[in-house]
Amino acid sequence: MEKIGIGLIGYGGIGKIHTLSYKDIGMYYPGHLPEIDLAAVCTSKPETARKAVRDGGFRKWYTEVAELIQDDDVTIIDCSLPNFAHKSVLLQAIAAGKPIYCEKPLAMNAAEAREITAAAQQAGIQIGMTLNYRFLPAIMRAYTLIQDGALGQIYRFQAEYLHTGYEDPQRPLSWRLDHAKSGGGALADLGAHAIDLMRYLLGEFEAVRAFTKTFVPERPLKAGARETGKVTVDDAAWLQVQLKNGGIGTIEASRFATGILDELRFEICGEKGALRFNLMDGNWLYWYDAARKGGDFGGERGWQRLDTLQQYPGASIPTPRSIIGWQRPHAENQYQFLKAIIAGKSFQPNVIDGLRAQLILEAAYTSAATGEWVNVEQQ
């Protein structure tokens, strides 16, 4: 393959981040991949599509998804659309035999996720998921520590993904607040990341019990409007989790965390040690090694700050001592996906990771409706 032809479907906020990341990959990893060609972009309107070509650097534009997918210059489909549009795009791309890079969550619900997964597996098409926080050096270091047995048996964990910004009741309705278009609220949007990270680090979920809350039940249909519409998703959610390995934990997702900007944080405690991380302090992973000796005034015991920063093996720039930014793990997620496709290797996070996150979300929403513990299906 002389070029990797990217066909981006959707040029909203996340589509722009994907575009910027594709442009940066060649600088981070010069010569590691064939040339990345921003071959085509698709939006719903000609004026936005033309703007995407002009601002994003794409060569062609479309307003029909099917036309972009069938374009011979497009070898990779990037689905950066709202949740309700994923299934149609992914099934069309699978039918066309083209690998797909898809924003989370995979689909609107477990039934759609199963359908997409079955189609991809039957056709032998890879779907790479945008679960970009896996690609922070701090998270990758946490993964290696856990895999190497540094924590031993896992006893407990707590994870939260907290945002502010929805406290104003005059904030208008959007697709994110409409269950028919989003498939869920804070839990599906933010909680999906926390769920994936705990699955990635600690293993499969066995059962969940959940509680959800909608603080503002109605909002203006548009900015400044008197007419209101119903909010049909959760503003916040709380999960109790039982892991298959015996660990117990909690997960919280909220868009009503006043004063908090973008905190994805966790603490994991095991028999041999513990780990802490906060996205707003993302240059470091905190590790407690219980094997260190105690003694006078505490001896050698205590939390260690591991300087993970931009420790990406093989990256040309920035230097490993440079501070990490929010966009960088997006670029790494995309790079590792493209690298696997070119090499003919499997990639993770893949469609199975997307499906299993969806099954956990499904179990959580079922539990929130009943108040009971719900077992998580694995497939």
Side-chain angles (χ1 to χ4, degrees):
M1 188 182 294
E2 294 181 1
K3 289 185 178 182
I4 302 172
I6 302 296
L8 179 70
I9 303 174
Y11 194 69
I14 200 64
K16 292 180 175 70
I17 290 295
H18 286 202
T19 301
L20 187 59
S21 297
Y22 286 126
K23 291 180 178 181
D24 286 347
I25 287 171
M27 295 296 292
Y28 294 143
Y29 298 103
H32 288 215
L33 295 175
E35 178 187 348
I36 296 176
D37 173 29
L38 298 180
V41 63
C42 180
T43 71
S44 60
K45 300 175 182 178
E47 55 268 30
T48 57
R50 292 191 194 99
K51 189 174 190 302
V53 166
R54 183 178 68 250
D55 297 347
F58 292 90
R59 293 195 291 109
K60 289 178 278 187
W61 61 268
Y62 295 98
T63 57
E64 296 295 331
V65 168
E67 292 180 8
L68 179 143
I69 290 175
Q70 296 301 323
D71 188 326
D72 290 338
D73 289 339
V74 172
T75 55
I76 302 287
I77 304 298
D78 184 318
C79 180
S80 293
L81 291 170
N83 306 350
F84 65 88
H86 286 193
K87 176 185 169 183
S88 174
V89 169
L90 269 56
L91 292 180
Q92 288 182 68
I94 290 167
K98 296 186 178 183
I100 304 149
Y101 186 72
C102 182
E103 261 297 327
K104 64 82 199 161
L106 177 60
M108 288 280 287
N109 51 52
E112 285 192 2
R114 286 192 180 98
E115 184 178 353
I116 293 165
T117 301
Q121 290 180 326
Q122 184 175 357
I125 297 299
Q126 285 217 61
I127 298 179
M129 295 299 302
T130 302
L131 292 166
N132 47 297
Y133 297 116
R134 287 194 185 196
F135 295 91
L136 286 160
I139 301 302
M140 294 188 284
R141 180 68 176 124
Y143 179 83
T144 60
L145 283 166
I146 293 169
Q147 293 299 305
D148 290 343
L151 270 60
Q153 180 183 345
I154 301 301
Y155 293 144
R156 63 168 292 276
F157 72 87
Q158 63 187 62
E160 297 96 19
Y161 201 171
L162 309 176
H163 274 192
T164 190
Y166 282 74
E167 300 91 333
D168 182 359
Q170 294 305 307
R171 178 169 179 155
L173 284 170
S174 69
W175 70 266
R176 294 184 185 278
L177 299 171
D178 182 353
H179 190 275
K181 294 181 179 180
S182 65
L187 180 58
D189 184 21
L190 303 177
H193 278 299
I195 286 168
D196 178 72
L197 278 187
M198 293 302 99
R199 251 198 82 241
Y200 172 60
L201 294 174
L202 302 178
E204 300 298 342
F205 287 36
E206 185 169 270
V208 297
R209 185 166 66 179
F211 176 79
T212 60
K213 178 72 174 179
T214 303
F215 294 106
V216 180
E218 291 190 357
R219 291 181 178 273
L221 295 180
K222 59 182 180 179
R226 291 186 177 181
E227 187 178 0
T228 63
K230 189 175 181 181
V231 174
T232 53
V233 300
D234 51 291
D235 289 326
W238 297 262
L239 274 66
Q240 293 175 285
V241 179
Q242 296 178 6
L243 299 174
K244 283 189 172 293
N245 63 19
I248 301 292
T250 62
I251 294 175
E252 178 184 355
S254 179
R255 294 166 172 165
F256 273 67
T258 304
I260 292 177
L261 299 176
D262 190 26
E263 289 207 10
L264 173 57
R265 60 197 189 199
F266 63 76
E267 181 175 274
I268 302 169
C269 298
E271 63 173 322
K272 298 180 181 179
L275 294 171
R276 284 178 182 164
F277 174 77
N278 189 330
L279 184 62
M280 299 303 281
D281 189 24
N283 293 292
W284 297 282
L285 176 69
Y286 294 85
W287 177 30
Y288 182 89
D289 183 0
R292 300 186 72 173
K293 295 180 180 180
D296 293 341
F297 312 109
E300 297 176 359
R301 288 268 176 95
W303 285 91
Q304 302 174 65
R305 190 182 76 172
L306 306 183
D307 300 337
T308 52
L309 293 105
Q310 294 213 47
Q311 299 280 348
Y312 288 103
S316 177
I317 57 170
T319 60
R321 67 177 179 270
S322 302
I323 60 172
I324 194 76
W326 186 74
Q327 181 199 333
R328 183 62 180 88
H330 267 288
E332 191 68 19
N333 197 156
Q334 291 167 224
Y335 166 68
Q336 294 295 343
F337 172 68
L338 296 178
K339 183 180 175 182
I341 294 298
I342 295 300
K345 297 180 179 179
S346 61
F347 172 76
Q348 282 187 292
N350 56 29
V351 70
I352 296 298
D353 296 295
L355 171 62
R356 290 192 175 158
Q358 203 87 52
L359 292 171
I360 294 167
L361 290 172
E362 189 103 333
Y365 280 124
T366 300
S367 173
T370 64
E372 303 293 329
W373 281 94
V374 175
N375 290 331
V376 176
E377 296 181 39
Q378 298 303 305
Q379 198 74 3

